[in-house]
Amino acid sequence: MNKISTYKGRSHLKSQLCKLIILAAILLGASDLFANTRSMRRCMLLPVKDSVGGALGFKVFEELERYLKDSEWCYYESNSGILDILSNYKRNLDAYLQNKDVLKVIAEKSNAGSLIRVDLVNQVKGVDVQVRVIGENGEDVYFKEETRLNTEDYTVIAQTVKNWLDIYEKNIPYDGIVIGVLGDQFTSDVGKSYGVQPDSTLRIVRPTKKRRHPLLKEIVDWETELIAKGKIFHTAASQSQGNVSTYESKKRVNVGDWLLIDKNQKTKAKDEPNFGELDEFQFGKHGNVGLFALIGSGSNTVSGTSTKKIGGMLFGVDLVGEVWLTRTYFAGLEIGRRFGSYSREEGTLQSESNSLSGSVFKLKAGYKYLPLGFFYGPQIDGFIGYANYGYGFDTSRTDGITGVNFSGIMLGAKGSMPLHKLFRISLLLDFIFNPGFSEDVAIKGSADSTSNYHIEIGGNYQYNPNMTFDAGVGYTSSKAEFKRTVSSIAIKETTLKIGATFTF
């Protein structure tokens, strides 16, 4: 009996789905408006689903619809005909909006390349918010974010989604799409309202392959080939016309090819920094890697019956990488080298000078907490891993100095927040829990107590979507105490680091 009921339920769902597709085709026409890819800058907001009968979802929908109608990046397709059809299927609306065939029909009949779906799940206190932007084929996920808000205020929920959609706009890999070709002339779907001006130079590229995030399964990048270079000679409000200047191969411009307007020749309607423009059609989504040069000072203090201290300038280099397993989980690696020339600063030493050849190794995994729900807003990282600090000093038994290592389980946290679209500051603290201690040459023996911690204050400048320039000041302290000889070793470093970080 249960199998029969299940079969009937599935048959009923398929029947209703067919009715929806047929009805959409009858009401809105069956012809395609474009032979190739629809622009991601043409968007449609799907009904906002909630778990309280639609009262909250309707208010959020109204707020988002007003935002999209006034936005500069989205040619909003309200298409009330499709919305009216969907309103007749409220009971099974969630199933329909997850069916790629239904979404494909909606995109086709609304001429939208970005289908925006917002889901709200009410909790005891607050609401879970999820937004997904789905492509014209009904299955490609171009963008996905989710968070829990401790409020059911529809204006706060809508603003959170608006913040996410602003980030999505920066991920769109082109400025416009070719919608018509006549010889060496072409027509695109962007014009004055997007900031395109006559005499703007551009590149015309053709997408050849999609790249998906290995875990999130989102579309994170496209491979393209350069077809031609050209120039705009006429603009209207939402269209422009141009000429091809040079072809890069025997291939010719086709409808559906992408336009990349030279960013310094495109004027935004709003007078604000041109953050997020893609100069070289790339945008990192898998992680980042940074290379840094360091300069600073260090010291090594050996205490016992007397205090002996050496110190001086040190130089180094750090290679820091991070892989985003998801939008909230990550893994990181840091490899560094230090070189210093130290001399006596306190006490009587047999050797007046010493040299340092040090190393840093950190391997970690952690979780990113996003207080405002979107990736490029404030972040708080918590992580755990393994760290090793090696201090390779020249051995002097009389002075009690030799190379030492501190290693063990590392715990840490990092907070960062944007001060502006182009600037971000950060604070990092990590430490080795009860670090292990070893000497290159046995002088002090086993340590009775050890400690190690590192603190760093920094900031970066967003040079382009793929690259930031970074600077920071760091302080590292490693200490070992020996009760048997009533002595200790304390190694300290203060460094200024400057470098760049690249997303990939």
Side-chain angles (χ1 to χ4, degrees), residues 254-272:
N254 291 334
V255 172
D257 287 343
W258 295 353
L259 300 184
L260 306 179
I261 309 295
D262 289 348
K263 67 177 183 178
N264 54 355
Q265 297 187 12
K266 183 167 69 69
T267 306
K268 284 289 188 182
K270 292 185 179 180
D271 186 18
E272 59 184 29

Side-chain angles (χ1 to χ4, degrees), residues 48-59 118-122 127:
V48 178
K49 175 182 171 294
D50 64 27
S51 54
V52 291
L56 180 60
F58 180 73
K59 293 181 179 179
V118 179
D119 292 323
L120 309 176
V121 179
N122 296 78
V127 60

